[in-house]
C-alpha cells in the first residue's frame, strides 16, 4: 500500500527529543510514533524517540564522522572482572592516515544505563540523566584510518545491581561539546536503541 511521509522543521536551537503523533478523528485519539514503528502489536516507547541537536543559525558543529561499538552483548557475574568494551572511531581530519598522534583530540566515553533509556536524550525534561559514564582512553590504530578506544563497562569491583542494561559509547572532538552516540551497527550513523550493546549482570 502507498504510504505518506510527513516532515516538520524544528524552530529553535538546542537539544530536543522528537516525536510525531497522528490522529484520524480530529484529535480525539492519537497514535504516537517512535523510531521502531508503533502499532497495536508494537506499542510506542519513549526509548525509541529521535534526538535532534540543532545549531544556531550560522554555526556549524563538526561531529564525529563514524563510530561503532564492537561488543554486541556482555554477560557477566557480579563477582567477575568488569568486561571490556571497544569503540572504533573515524574522524576524517584527525584519524585518516594517522599514527595515533591525534588521539587526544577525540574524547570518548562509555556508559551503561537502563535498557529502556536513550542516553542521547539525557537531560531533557522527559528523560533525566540515568547513564553512568567512564572515560575511554586511546587503545590502538584499528586500520590506517580509524582509532580504537577502550575501557571497562564499569569500575572493576563495583558492578551495577543484577539486571539488564544498555551499553553505549559516545565520542566528540575535544574542541566541541557535541557528542555523537555510537551503537553496534557498522552501516549507519543513525543511533538506535535497538542496536546498542547489552549488558547482563547475573
Amino acid at each position: 500500500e502507498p504510504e505518506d511521509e510527513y516532515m516538520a522543521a524544528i524552530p529553535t536551537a538546542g537539544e530536543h527529543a522528537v516525536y510525531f503523533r497522528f490522529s484520524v478523528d480530529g484529535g480525539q485519539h492519537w497514535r504516537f510514533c517512535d523510531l521502531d514503528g508503533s502499532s497495536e502489536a508494537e506499542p510506542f516507547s519513549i526509548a525509541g524517540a529521535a534526538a535532534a541537536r540543532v545549531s544556531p543559525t550560522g554555526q556549524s558543529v563538526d561531529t564525529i564522522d563514524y563510530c561503532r561499538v564492537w561488543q554486541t552483548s556482555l554477560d557477566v557475574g557480579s563477582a567477575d572482572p568488569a568486561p571490556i568494551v571497544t569503540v572504533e572511531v573515524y574522524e576524517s581530519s584527525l584519524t585518516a592516515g594517522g599514527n595515533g598522534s591525534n588521539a587526544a583530540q577525540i574524547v570518548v566515553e562509555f556508559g551503561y544505563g537502563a535498557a529502556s533509556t536513550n542516553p542521547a536524550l539525557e537531560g531533557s525534561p522527559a528523560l533525566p540523566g540515568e547513564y553512568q559514564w567512564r572515560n575511554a582512553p586511546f587503545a590502538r590504530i584499528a586500520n590506517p584510518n580509524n582509532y580504537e578506544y577502550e575501557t571497562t563497562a564499569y569500575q572493576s569491583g563495583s558492578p551495577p545491581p543484577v539486571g539488564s542494561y544498555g551499553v553505549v559509547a559516545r565520542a566528540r572532538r575535544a574542541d566541541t561539546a557535541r557528542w555523537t552516540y555510537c551503537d553496534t551497527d557498522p552501516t549507519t550513523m543513525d543511533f538506535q536503541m535497538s542496536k546498542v550493546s547489552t549488558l547482563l549482570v547475573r
Side-chain angles (χ1 to χ4, degrees), residues 3-9 20-24 33:
E3 297 178 348
D4 295 330
E5 293 186 355
Y6 295 81
M7 299 175 63
F20 275 90
R21 65 177 185 175
F22 293 89
S23 174
V24 295
C33 309

Side-chain angles (χ1 to χ4, degrees), residues 11-163:
T12 56
E15 299 198 5
H16 308 274
V18 180
Y19 305 93
F20 275 90
R21 65 177 185 175
F22 293 89
S23 174
V24 295
D25 58 9
Q28 295 183 52
H29 301 90
W30 292 96
R31 167 78 68 191
F32 287 81
C33 309
D34 59 30
L35 293 174
D36 296 323
S38 301
S39 66
E40 294 298 330
E42 296 187 25
F44 167 79
S45 169
I46 194 170
R53 296 172 178 81
V54 182
S55 299
T57 302
Q59 295 184 18
S60 61
V61 178
D62 190 358
T63 55
I64 295 296
D65 294 327
Y66 171 86
C67 59
R68 173 195 180 187
V69 178
W70 278 98
Q71 294 81 6
T72 58
S73 62
L74 305 162
D75 189 335
V76 297
S78 295
D80 294 340
I84 293 174
V85 281
T86 309
V87 64
E88 184 176 356
V89 176
Y90 170 76
E91 171 63 10
S92 59
S93 62
L94 296 176
T95 67
N99 58 8
S101 61
N102 292 326
Q105 295 185 45
I106 298 175
V107 180
V108 176
E109 295 181 345
F110 273 99
Y112 73 86
S116 61
T117 298
N118 186 338
L121 301 177
E122 281 194 312
S124 74
L127 291 172
E130 292 185 16
Y131 263 62
Q132 305 295 316
W133 297 99
R134 290 173 51 76
N135 181 63
F138 172 72
R140 65 190 67 85
I141 298 172
N143 61 44
N145 294 312
N146 296 6
Y147 292 172
E148 286 186 357
Y149 295 78
E150 198 168 71
T151 189
T152 54
Y154 50 84
Q155 181 68 42
S156 288
S158 300
V162 170

